PDB file of all heavy atoms in Angstrom:
ATOM      1  N   ASP A1035       0.865  -1.095  -0.052  1.00  0.00           N
ATOM      2  CA  ASP A1035      -0.025  -0.002   0.014  1.00  0.00           C
ATOM      3  C   ASP A1035       0.862   1.260   0.018  1.00  0.00           C
ATOM      4  O   ASP A1035       1.437   1.547   1.054  1.00  0.00           O
ATOM      5  CB  ASP A1035      -0.918  -0.011   1.260  1.00  0.00           C
ATOM      6  CG  ASP A1035      -1.925   1.047   1.251  1.00  0.00           C
ATOM      7  OD1 ASP A1035      -1.667   2.107   0.576  1.00  0.00           O
ATOM      8  OD2 ASP A1035      -2.887   1.022   1.946  1.00  0.00           O
ATOM      9  N   ASN A1036       1.080   1.823  -1.148  1.00  0.00           N
ATOM     10  CA  ASN A1036       2.049   2.917  -1.284  1.00  0.00           C
ATOM     11  C   ASN A1036       1.564   4.131  -0.487  1.00  0.00           C
ATOM     12  O   ASN A1036       2.357   4.970  -0.022  1.00  0.00           O
ATOM     13  CB  ASN A1036       2.287   3.274  -2.730  1.00  0.00           C
ATOM     14  CG  ASN A1036       3.134   2.281  -3.394  1.00  0.00           C
ATOM     15  OD1 ASN A1036       3.769   1.425  -2.777  1.00  0.00           O
ATOM     16  ND2 ASN A1036       3.238   2.321  -4.712  1.00  0.00           N
ATOM     17  N   ALA A1037       0.199   4.268  -0.285  1.00  0.00           N
ATOM     18  CA  ALA A1037      -0.273   5.409   0.514  1.00  0.00           C
ATOM     19  C   ALA A1037       0.053   5.230   1.997  1.00  0.00           C
ATOM     20  O   ALA A1037       0.185   6.286   2.629  1.00  0.00           O
ATOM     21  CB  ALA A1037      -1.787   5.501   0.312  1.00  0.00           C
ATOM     22  N   LYS A1038       0.304   4.020   2.395  1.00  0.00           N
ATOM     23  CA  LYS A1038       0.650   3.811   3.807  1.00  0.00           C
ATOM     24  C   LYS A1038       2.139   3.436   4.039  1.00  0.00           C
ATOM     25  O   LYS A1038       2.569   3.164   5.032  1.00  0.00           O
ATOM     26  CB  LYS A1038      -0.169   2.763   4.342  1.00  0.00           C
ATOM     27  CG  LYS A1038      -1.610   2.993   4.486  1.00  0.00           C
ATOM     28  CD  LYS A1038      -2.423   1.804   5.088  1.00  0.00           C
ATOM     29  CE  LYS A1038      -3.988   2.253   5.166  1.00  0.00           C
ATOM     30  NZ  LYS A1038      -4.712   1.142   5.766  1.00  0.00           N
ATOM     31  N   ASN A1039       2.880   3.534   2.867  1.00  0.00           N
ATOM     32  CA  ASN A1039       4.310   3.131   2.886  1.00  0.00           C
ATOM     33  C   ASN A1039       4.577   1.690   3.576  1.00  0.00           C
ATOM     34  O   ASN A1039       5.417   1.604   4.382  1.00  0.00           O
ATOM     35  CB  ASN A1039       5.120   4.139   3.732  1.00  0.00           C
ATOM     36  CG  ASN A1039       5.345   5.375   2.846  1.00  0.00           C
ATOM     37  OD1 ASN A1039       4.830   5.609   1.818  1.00  0.00           O
ATOM     38  ND2 ASN A1039       6.299   6.270   3.365  1.00  0.00           N
ATOM     39  N   THR A1040       3.729   0.862   3.190  1.00  0.00           N
ATOM     40  CA  THR A1040       3.781  -0.516   3.850  1.00  0.00           C
ATOM     41  C   THR A1040       3.686  -1.673   2.886  1.00  0.00           C
ATOM     42  O   THR A1040       2.963  -1.563   1.841  1.00  0.00           O
ATOM     43  CB  THR A1040       2.650  -0.612   4.902  1.00  0.00           C
ATOM     44  OG1 THR A1040       2.689   0.422   5.860  1.00  0.00           O
ATOM     45  CG2 THR A1040       2.691  -2.018   5.650  1.00  0.00           C
ATOM     46  N   VAL A1041       4.451  -2.655   3.106  1.00  0.00           N
ATOM     47  CA  VAL A1041       4.403  -3.825   2.336  1.00  0.00           C
ATOM     48  C   VAL A1041       3.983  -4.954   3.288  1.00  0.00           C
ATOM     49  O   VAL A1041       4.328  -5.019   4.426  1.00  0.00           O
ATOM     50  CB  VAL A1041       5.731  -4.167   1.644  1.00  0.00           C
ATOM     51  CG1 VAL A1041       6.833  -4.377   2.621  1.00  0.00           C
ATOM     52  CG2 VAL A1041       5.607  -5.303   0.759  1.00  0.00           C
ATOM     53  N   TYR A1042       3.179  -5.973   2.745  1.00  0.00           N
ATOM     54  CA  TYR A1042       2.622  -7.033   3.540  1.00  0.00           C
ATOM     55  C   TYR A1042       3.091  -8.373   2.980  1.00  0.00           C
ATOM     56  O   TYR A1042       3.379  -8.516   1.832  1.00  0.00           O
ATOM     57  CB  TYR A1042       1.108  -7.033   3.561  1.00  0.00           C
ATOM     58  CG  TYR A1042       0.560  -5.675   4.015  1.00  0.00           C
ATOM     59  CD1 TYR A1042       0.183  -4.683   3.125  1.00  0.00           C
ATOM     60  CD2 TYR A1042       0.471  -5.348   5.368  1.00  0.00           C
ATOM     61  CE1 TYR A1042      -0.330  -3.503   3.477  1.00  0.00           C
ATOM     62  CE2 TYR A1042      -0.115  -4.128   5.825  1.00  0.00           C
ATOM     63  CZ  TYR A1042      -0.483  -3.142   4.900  1.00  0.00           C
ATOM     64  OH  TYR A1042      -0.928  -2.001   5.225  1.00  0.00           O
ATOM     65  N   LEU A1043       3.074  -9.356   3.800  1.00  0.00           N
ATOM     66  CA  LEU A1043       3.215 -10.790   3.476  1.00  0.00           C
ATOM     67  C   LEU A1043       2.205 -11.592   4.196  1.00  0.00           C
ATOM     68  O   LEU A1043       2.374 -11.799   5.453  1.00  0.00           O
ATOM     69  CB  LEU A1043       4.684 -11.248   3.754  1.00  0.00           C
ATOM     70  CG  LEU A1043       4.985 -12.649   3.238  1.00  0.00           C
ATOM     71  CD1 LEU A1043       5.084 -12.615   1.732  1.00  0.00           C
ATOM     72  CD2 LEU A1043       6.317 -13.138   3.826  1.00  0.00           C
ATOM     73  N   GLN A1044       1.209 -11.973   3.479  1.00  0.00           N
ATOM     74  CA  GLN A1044       0.206 -12.854   4.019  1.00  0.00           C
ATOM     75  C   GLN A1044       0.683 -14.318   3.926  1.00  0.00           C
ATOM     76  O   GLN A1044       0.959 -14.793   2.766  1.00  0.00           O
ATOM     77  CB  GLN A1044      -1.097 -12.705   3.308  1.00  0.00           C
ATOM     78  CG  GLN A1044      -2.208 -13.541   3.764  1.00  0.00           C
ATOM     79  CD  GLN A1044      -2.667 -13.309   5.156  1.00  0.00           C
ATOM     80  OE1 GLN A1044      -2.846 -12.155   5.613  1.00  0.00           O
ATOM     81  NE2 GLN A1044      -2.786 -14.408   6.023  1.00  0.00           N
ATOM     82  N   MET A1045       0.799 -15.009   5.041  1.00  0.00           N
ATOM     83  CA  MET A1045       1.256 -16.400   5.001  1.00  0.00           C
ATOM     84  C   MET A1045       0.213 -17.362   5.515  1.00  0.00           C
ATOM     85  O   MET A1045      -0.274 -17.222   6.644  1.00  0.00           O
ATOM     86  CB  MET A1045       2.635 -16.433   5.854  1.00  0.00           C
ATOM     87  CG  MET A1045       3.617 -15.443   5.554  1.00  0.00           C
ATOM     88  SD  MET A1045       5.175 -15.673   6.483  1.00  0.00           S
ATOM     89  CE  MET A1045       4.562 -15.274   8.166  1.00  0.00           C
ATOM     90  N   ASN A1046      -0.209 -18.200   4.575  1.00  0.00           N
ATOM     91  CA  ASN A1046      -1.232 -19.245   4.975  1.00  0.00           C
ATOM     92  C   ASN A1046      -0.663 -20.624   4.852  1.00  0.00           C
ATOM     93  O   ASN A1046       0.394 -20.825   4.260  1.00  0.00           O
ATOM     94  CB  ASN A1046      -2.346 -19.048   3.999  1.00  0.00           C
ATOM     95  CG  ASN A1046      -3.087 -17.757   4.095  1.00  0.00           C
ATOM     96  OD1 ASN A1046      -3.167 -16.984   5.104  1.00  0.00           O
ATOM     97  ND2 ASN A1046      -3.571 -17.267   2.847  1.00  0.00           N
ATOM     98  N   SER A1047      -1.324 -21.545   5.387  1.00  0.00           N
ATOM     99  CA  SER A1047      -0.959 -22.961   5.433  1.00  0.00           C
ATOM    100  C   SER A1047       0.465 -23.113   5.864  1.00  0.00           C
ATOM    101  O   SER A1047       1.362 -23.780   5.174  1.00  0.00           O
ATOM    102  CB  SER A1047      -1.116 -23.584   4.007  1.00  0.00           C
ATOM    103  OG  SER A1047      -2.500 -23.464   3.575  1.00  0.00           O
ATOM    104  N   LEU A1048       0.905 -22.448   6.927  1.00  0.00           N
ATOM    105  CA  LEU A1048       2.195 -22.490   7.351  1.00  0.00           C
ATOM    106  C   LEU A1048       2.702 -23.817   7.804  1.00  0.00           C
ATOM    107  O   LEU A1048       1.952 -24.686   8.346  1.00  0.00           O
ATOM    108  CB  LEU A1048       2.393 -21.526   8.606  1.00  0.00           C
ATOM    109  CG  LEU A1048       2.395 -20.033   8.107  1.00  0.00           C
ATOM    110  CD1 LEU A1048       2.148 -19.093   9.254  1.00  0.00           C
ATOM    111  CD2 LEU A1048       3.776 -19.629   7.507  1.00  0.00           C
ATOM    112  N   LYS A1049       4.018 -24.013   7.578  1.00  0.00           N
ATOM    113  CA  LYS A1049       4.575 -25.313   7.767  1.00  0.00           C
ATOM    114  C   LYS A1049       5.819 -25.043   8.778  1.00  0.00           C
ATOM    115  O   LYS A1049       6.359 -23.946   8.876  1.00  0.00           O
ATOM    116  CB  LYS A1049       5.141 -25.923   6.572  1.00  0.00           C
ATOM    117  CG  LYS A1049       4.158 -26.076   5.420  1.00  0.00           C
ATOM    118  CD  LYS A1049       4.783 -26.611   4.179  1.00  0.00           C
ATOM    119  CE  LYS A1049       3.877 -26.780   3.095  1.00  0.00           C
ATOM    120  NZ  LYS A1049       4.455 -27.248   1.749  1.00  0.00           N
ATOM    121  N   PRO A1050       6.138 -26.081   9.510  1.00  0.00           N
ATOM    122  CA  PRO A1050       7.349 -25.951  10.494  1.00  0.00           C
ATOM    123  C   PRO A1050       8.603 -25.428   9.710  1.00  0.00           C
ATOM    124  O   PRO A1050       9.378 -24.595  10.324  1.00  0.00           O
ATOM    125  CB  PRO A1050       7.515 -27.408  11.077  1.00  0.00           C
ATOM    126  CG  PRO A1050       6.233 -27.928  10.999  1.00  0.00           C
ATOM    127  CD  PRO A1050       5.569 -27.404   9.762  1.00  0.00           C
ATOM    128  N   GLU A1051       8.846 -25.830   8.471  1.00  0.00           N
ATOM    129  CA  GLU A1051       9.930 -25.410   7.760  1.00  0.00           C
ATOM    130  C   GLU A1051       9.908 -23.888   7.302  1.00  0.00           C
ATOM    131  O   GLU A1051      10.825 -23.316   6.789  1.00  0.00           O
ATOM    132  CB  GLU A1051      10.121 -26.253   6.466  1.00  0.00           C
ATOM    133  CG  GLU A1051       8.886 -26.460   5.582  1.00  0.00           C
ATOM    134  CD  GLU A1051       8.113 -27.674   5.916  1.00  0.00           C
ATOM    135  OE1 GLU A1051       7.997 -28.067   7.081  1.00  0.00           O
ATOM    136  OE2 GLU A1051       7.725 -28.393   4.954  1.00  0.00           O
ATOM    137  N   ASP A1052       8.772 -23.215   7.584  1.00  0.00           N
ATOM    138  CA  ASP A1052       8.682 -21.841   7.419  1.00  0.00           C
ATOM    139  C   ASP A1052       9.247 -20.967   8.490  1.00  0.00           C
ATOM    140  O   ASP A1052       9.395 -19.848   8.492  1.00  0.00           O
ATOM    141  CB  ASP A1052       7.245 -21.354   7.115  1.00  0.00           C
ATOM    142  CG  ASP A1052       6.646 -21.864   5.869  1.00  0.00           C
ATOM    143  OD1 ASP A1052       7.417 -21.913   4.812  1.00  0.00           O
ATOM    144  OD2 ASP A1052       5.499 -22.329   5.917  1.00  0.00           O
ATOM    145  N   THR A1053       9.586 -21.721   9.624  1.00  0.00           N
ATOM    146  CA  THR A1053      10.192 -21.061  10.837  1.00  0.00           C
ATOM    147  C   THR A1053      11.511 -20.349  10.443  1.00  0.00           C
ATOM    148  O   THR A1053      12.487 -21.015   9.845  1.00  0.00           O
ATOM    149  CB  THR A1053      10.485 -22.126  11.883  1.00  0.00           C
ATOM    150  OG1 THR A1053       9.235 -22.655  12.341  1.00  0.00           O
ATOM    151  CG2 THR A1053      11.217 -21.546  13.043  1.00  0.00           C
ATOM    152  N   ALA A1054      11.553 -19.117  10.717  1.00  0.00           N
ATOM    153  CA  ALA A1054      12.773 -18.284  10.316  1.00  0.00           C
ATOM    154  C   ALA A1054      12.597 -16.905  10.820  1.00  0.00           C
ATOM    155  O   ALA A1054      11.486 -16.470  11.357  1.00  0.00           O
ATOM    156  CB  ALA A1054      12.945 -18.227   8.799  1.00  0.00           C
ATOM    157  N   ILE A1055      13.549 -16.123  10.731  1.00  0.00           N
ATOM    158  CA  ILE A1055      13.502 -14.640  10.851  1.00  0.00           C
ATOM    159  C   ILE A1055      13.307 -14.064   9.522  1.00  0.00           C
ATOM    160  O   ILE A1055      13.906 -14.407   8.540  1.00  0.00           O
ATOM    161  CB  ILE A1055      14.826 -14.013  11.478  1.00  0.00           C
ATOM    162  CG1 ILE A1055      15.080 -14.588  12.840  1.00  0.00           C
ATOM    163  CG2 ILE A1055      14.649 -12.522  11.482  1.00  0.00           C
ATOM    164  CD1 ILE A1055      16.425 -14.126  13.426  1.00  0.00           C
ATOM    165  N   TYR A1056      12.184 -13.306   9.405  1.00  0.00           N
ATOM    166  CA  TYR A1056      11.786 -12.737   8.137  1.00  0.00           C
ATOM    167  C   TYR A1056      12.179 -11.290   8.073  1.00  0.00           C
ATOM    168  O   TYR A1056      11.972 -10.492   9.014  1.00  0.00           O
ATOM    169  CB  TYR A1056      10.212 -12.846   7.935  1.00  0.00           C
ATOM    170  CG  TYR A1056       9.761 -14.245   7.612  1.00  0.00           C
ATOM    171  CD1 TYR A1056       9.923 -15.295   8.620  1.00  0.00           C
ATOM    172  CD2 TYR A1056       9.333 -14.530   6.325  1.00  0.00           C
ATOM    173  CE1 TYR A1056       9.557 -16.607   8.186  1.00  0.00           C
ATOM    174  CE2 TYR A1056       8.994 -15.825   5.967  1.00  0.00           C
ATOM    175  CZ  TYR A1056       9.080 -16.821   6.906  1.00  0.00           C
ATOM    176  OH  TYR A1056       8.762 -18.139   6.542  1.00  0.00           O
ATOM    177  N   TYR A1057      12.761 -10.949   7.018  1.00  0.00           N
ATOM    178  CA  TYR A1057      13.295  -9.562   6.774  1.00  0.00           C
ATOM    179  C   TYR A1057      12.657  -8.929   5.529  1.00  0.00           C
ATOM    180  O   TYR A1057      12.457  -9.628   4.486  1.00  0.00           O
ATOM    181  CB  TYR A1057      14.798  -9.612   6.465  1.00  0.00           C
ATOM    182  CG  TYR A1057      15.603 -10.089   7.489  1.00  0.00           C
ATOM    183  CD1 TYR A1057      15.920 -11.497   7.591  1.00  0.00           C
ATOM    184  CD2 TYR A1057      16.199  -9.336   8.582  1.00  0.00           C
ATOM    185  CE1 TYR A1057      16.723 -12.072   8.469  1.00  0.00           C
ATOM    186  CE2 TYR A1057      16.982  -9.897   9.563  1.00  0.00           C
ATOM    187  CZ  TYR A1057      17.237 -11.214   9.555  1.00  0.00           C
ATOM    188  OH  TYR A1057      18.064 -11.750  10.651  1.00  0.00           O
ATOM    189  N   CYS A1058      12.209  -7.734   5.581  1.00  0.00           N
ATOM    190  CA  CYS A1058      11.880  -6.932   4.387  1.00  0.00           C
ATOM    191  C   CYS A1058      13.027  -6.156   3.890  1.00  0.00           C
ATOM    192  O   CYS A1058      13.921  -5.712   4.674  1.00  0.00           O
ATOM    193  CB  CYS A1058      10.629  -6.178   4.630  1.00  0.00           C
ATOM    194  SG  CYS A1058      10.847  -4.662   5.551  1.00  0.00           S
ATOM    195  N   ALA A1059      12.983  -5.786   2.620  1.00  0.00           N
ATOM    196  CA  ALA A1059      14.135  -5.058   2.046  1.00  0.00           C
ATOM    197  C   ALA A1059      13.628  -4.193   0.905  1.00  0.00           C
ATOM    198  O   ALA A1059      12.591  -4.513   0.267  1.00  0.00           O
ATOM    199  CB  ALA A1059      15.179  -6.051   1.481  1.00  0.00           C
ATOM    200  N   ALA A1060      14.354  -3.115   0.638  1.00  0.00           N
ATOM    201  CA  ALA A1060      13.911  -2.238  -0.347  1.00  0.00           C
ATOM    202  C   ALA A1060      15.003  -2.111  -1.545  1.00  0.00           C
ATOM    203  O   ALA A1060      16.201  -2.022  -1.194  1.00  0.00           O
ATOM    204  CB  ALA A1060      13.680  -0.814   0.229  1.00  0.00           C
ATOM    205  N   GLN A1061      14.548  -2.075  -2.687  1.00  0.00           N
ATOM    206  CA  GLN A1061      15.391  -2.036  -3.871  1.00  0.00           C
ATOM    207  C   GLN A1061      14.987  -0.864  -4.753  1.00  0.00           C
ATOM    208  O   GLN A1061      13.915  -0.898  -5.366  1.00  0.00           O
ATOM    209  CB  GLN A1061      15.257  -3.394  -4.778  1.00  0.00           C
ATOM    210  CG  GLN A1061      16.184  -3.421  -6.011  1.00  0.00           C
ATOM    211  CD  GLN A1061      16.010  -4.721  -6.799  1.00  0.00           C
ATOM    212  OE1 GLN A1061      16.038  -4.700  -8.018  1.00  0.00           O
ATOM    213  NE2 GLN A1061      15.757  -5.759  -6.105  1.00  0.00           N
TER     214      GLN A1061
END
């Protein structure tokens, strides 16, 4: 949402192998 300066990551059907530290980054 560029008006809110925010990026989202909706994560469904999560698995144990999704366990991690999640980082966002800008390019």
Side-chain angles (χ1 to χ4, degrees):
D1035 186 338
N1036 286 346
K1038 295 182 178 180
N1039 282 13
T1040 302
V1041 62
Y1042 306 96
L1043 185 67
Q1044 177 67 44
M1045 305 185 295
N1046 299 328
S1047 302
L1048 282 161
K1049 305 175 181 180
E1051 51 263 42
D1052 294 318
T1053 295
I1055 300 175
Y1056 283 71
Y1057 300 90
C1058 71
Q1061 177 181 148

